[in-house]
């Protein structure tokens, strides 16, 4: 994936860049400040199978090693989100599948201090354009808990289609939770998702 990873993507004050080991202090600080803001939407470790020991959440270093290994194998694109030069969140394109599907799904979180400023819609648009134009994917998905209004507004602003409900899809905040599926294909944004997002922002500001 030499053309697709590692890569830095930017638009104005918003930058997507590969996650690094040396981001640990800033990443932990942002997570600490946002613990209650993020807790209802964060993935958790499900109970173990009978007779199996309980799984442990990875450390930061273990997480980064896994993300970067998956990126170099072509299965994932793990970014941190910077806003005005400071770490403000994380975005990962995961589950990259080739063959007849050519698909991936996007997960993200953002610092509550910068929520509502267009940071995450811009980040998702940057990542989606990169996946369509450089990586060569055809379809992008975002799966969101129905109760997660801020995250749903991100995909609604960008024009992702709502496709339906996946019951008990992911283990979130200690239980298996339903998720709504939002999707977009490359044919739906021939001019690029970022260009469409910019037009939307100009229209809304007028």
């Amino acid at each position: 994936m030499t053309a697709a990873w590692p890569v830095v993507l930017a638009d104005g004050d918003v930058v997507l860049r590969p996650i690094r080991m040396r981001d640990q202090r800033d990443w932990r600080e942002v997570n600490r400040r946002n613990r209650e803001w993020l807790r209802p939407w964060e993935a958790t470790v499900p109970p173990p199978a009978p007779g199996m020991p309980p799984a442990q959440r990875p450390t930061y270093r273990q997480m980064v090693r896994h993300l970067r290994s998956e990126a170099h194998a072509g299965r994932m694109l793990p970014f941190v989100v910077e806003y005005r030069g400071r770490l403000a969140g994380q975005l990962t394109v995961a589950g990259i599948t080739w063959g007849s599907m050519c698909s991936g799904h996007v997960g993200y979180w953002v610092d509550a201090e910068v929520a509502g400023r267009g940071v995450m819609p811009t980040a998702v648009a940057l990542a989606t354009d990169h996946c369509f134009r450089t990586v060569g994917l055809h379809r992008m998905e975002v799966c969101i808990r129905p109760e997660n209004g801020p995250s749903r507004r991100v995909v609604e602003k960008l024009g992702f289609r709502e496709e339906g409900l996946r019951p008990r899809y992911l283990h979130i905040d200690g239980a298996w939770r339903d998720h709504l599926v939002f999707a977009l294909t490359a044919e739906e944004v021939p001019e690029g998702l970022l260009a469409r997002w910019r037009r939307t922002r100009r229209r809304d500001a007028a």
Side-chain angles (χ1 to χ4, degrees):
M1 296 186 68
T2 54
W5 185 263
V7 67
V8 176
L9 310 171
D11 182 66
D13 292 328
V14 179
V15 175
L16 289 179
R17 62 162 177 78
I19 192 168
R20 306 175 302 204
M21 287 294 184
R22 62 180 179 270
D23 292 321
Q24 180 171 355
R25 179 180 295 180
D26 292 340
W27 189 92
R28 287 188 180 279
E29 171 58 22
V30 175
N31 266 260
R32 183 192 63 78
R33 286 193 289 100
N34 287 273
R35 188 164 295 135
E36 291 306 308
W37 160 261
L38 297 174
R39 181 189 53 75
W41 324 118
E42 281 194 324
T44 45
V45 179
M52 299 294 292
Q56 301 295 319
R57 288 182 65 89
T59 66
Y60 176 84
R61 296 183 68 84
Q62 289 171 336
M63 176 189 72
V64 173
R65 281 196 294 268
H66 170 72
L67 292 175
R68 294 178 69 87
S69 174
E70 290 294 288
H72 288 296
R75 293 185 290 265
M76 189 177 286
L77 298 173
F79 297 100
V80 293
V81 181
E82 289 185 349
Y83 179 64
R84 296 182 175 175
R86 298 182 63 179
L87 194 150
Q90 190 172 351
L91 181 151
T92 303
V93 181
I96 294 176
T97 304
W98 300 101
S100 57
M101 182 172 284
C102 287
S103 176
H105 56 83
V106 184
Y108 50 82
W109 60 264
V110 69
D111 188 343
E113 289 187 0
V114 303
R117 302 186 193 180
V119 175
M120 197 48 70
T122 301
V124 173
L126 284 166
T128 299
D129 282 351
H130 179 65
C131 286
F132 285 162
R133 295 178 169 184
T134 301
V135 180
L137 298 184
H138 172 251
R139 173 184 166 91
M140 296 290 283
E141 280 191 5
V142 184
C143 296
I144 302 170
R145 286 188 62 185
E147 305 89 345
N148 191 345
S151 191
R152 290 179 65 174
R153 284 192 289 275
V154 170
V155 292
E156 288 163 1
K157 289 175 182 178
L158 293 173
F160 277 72
R161 285 176 290 98
E162 183 178 333
E163 292 191 332
L165 183 73
R166 289 180 179 168
R168 297 172 297 283
Y169 178 61
L170 290 174
H171 201 271
I172 302 288
D173 192 26
W176 294 105
R177 310 287 185 177
D178 297 350
H179 280 65
L180 290 169
V181 183
F182 297 84
L184 196 67
T185 60
E187 294 92 344
E188 294 173 86
V189 281
E191 78 282 20
L193 186 56
L194 183 62
R196 186 164 80 178
W197 167 230
R198 286 171 175 164
R199 286 202 310 273
T200 299
R201 297 188 81 178
R202 287 195 299 267
R203 183 194 66 214
D204 292 346

